[in-house]
Each structure stands twice: as C-alpha cells, then as structure tokens.
Amino acid sequence: DAVLKYRKAHPGVEVHLREGLGSEVHEDVRSGLADFGIGNTTGLNQEVVADEIVQESCFAVLPLKHRLSNKKVVTFRDLKDEEFVSLPTGAGLRRQIDGIAATNGLTLKHMTVVEQFGTLFDFVAADVGVAIVPASALPRRRQYGVVVKQLGSPSIVRRIGILRLKGRALTPAATGFLGIFRPLFLSAARR
C-alpha cells in the first residue's frame, strides 16, 4: 500500500526494495546501501538505530488438511514431531524460535530451509511441512492454501522497527516515503 501511494504521489521517483534476512537488512542500512530498513530490532550495532518499534506475534502456519487445523491454538508441544519449513539459521526469527523451543526442552525438525516467506507458504501449502511466521509476513489474501493458527504456550513476540543509520539524514525521497509508510506500519501493528 505504501509503495502504491508513494508512486502515485511521486510518479517520477524510482523505488528500490531489497529483501533479505535481518542481518542483511542491518548491513544494508549500516553500509549506507539502503536509506532505511524495516526489520528486527534485536542485536543492532551502535551505528544503526530503530524508530517506531512495535511488537508482533508469530503464528503457526499449517497445510489445509493438517491434523491440527481444527485447533484454535497450536502449541510448541503440538508441533514437536512435525517437519518444518523454516528460514535459514542466520535469520533472527529462526534463532528466536529455536531458543524458545530449546528453553522448553524441544528440538524442532527444520527439514526444508527457504529464503523468502512466499516460498515458505508455497511449501507449506504443498504439505512439505509446517512453519512459524510473524504477523507481518502472513499473506493478506487467501492466495496460499494454508491455515493460520494462533501460537501459544509459549507465544513468540518479536520487535520490529524502522532502522536507520545513526547521524545520517534521510534523502528527501526516503523522508517522503516514510511519511506515507509510517502510519500504515503503525496501523498494521495495532491490528
């Protein structure tokens, strides 16, 4: 929505989006390659600061006909014997998920590792495994054949924000985009 609104307001300005794991987003901001980033606020170095920090819950994502698809809440214990479609071990979310599992005496079976959430949903829909994803990554429309369930006992909450290089002024184009993006980001976080 933000890109669409920005492009309509500024049709002559190119928008370059880079997608990547949290560590890649942090490095793109730190190196100056990106004007700003949207990502996990855990483990930032002193050069990168986060604004508009929000908390988001994570959810279990299951194939449509999965044995747990009728449960209202899915727990880590429910998922302990499942094969997972997961992000790489370098992803902050993956480390957080594994840490919580280990704290609860569980080791998850990360059998298929992918780089992007779209691919993850395709694999879950194909019944390759289950996944845990943050609210911001959930598909807005029912374009994937998956079931999304509340994750409980324990739940996973991550902190995300708008990342920028400390002491670096944003370009006018980046400032204009953030003016459109920021209220949409905060509104989505409240939902």
Side-chain angles (χ1 to χ4, degrees), residues 76-77 80 84 94-110 132 154 156:
F76 267 76
R77 294 247 176 250
K80 70 179 175 60
F84 274 76
R94 167 78 180 267
R95 289 191 305 272
Q96 186 177 8
I97 290 167
D98 286 345
I100 290 171
T103 299
N104 287 276
L106 303 171
T107 301
L108 302 179
K109 298 176 187 173
H110 301 285
I132 296 174
I156 298 177

Side-chain angles (χ1 to χ4, degrees), residues 115-136:
E115 296 280 332
Q116 300 291 325
F117 285 113
T119 307
L120 179 144
F121 292 123
D122 286 338
F123 277 71
V124 172
D127 206 17
V128 172
V130 302
I132 296 174
V133 302
S136 62

Side-chain angles (χ1 to χ4, degrees), residues 6 13 34-36 168-182:
Y6 184 79
V13 178
D35 291 316
F36 62 90
R168 177 183 178 202
L170 293 175
T171 64
T175 300
F177 182 81
L178 280 178
I180 293 169
F181 175 79
R182 187 174 276 115

Side-chain angles (χ1 to χ4, degrees), residues 60 69 72 82 89 92 128 137 150 162 164 173 184-185 188:
S69 63
K72 183 177 180 180
E82 297 292 329
T89 55
V128 172
Q150 182 179 344
I162 300 170
R164 61 181 177 76
L184 295 171
F185 174 68

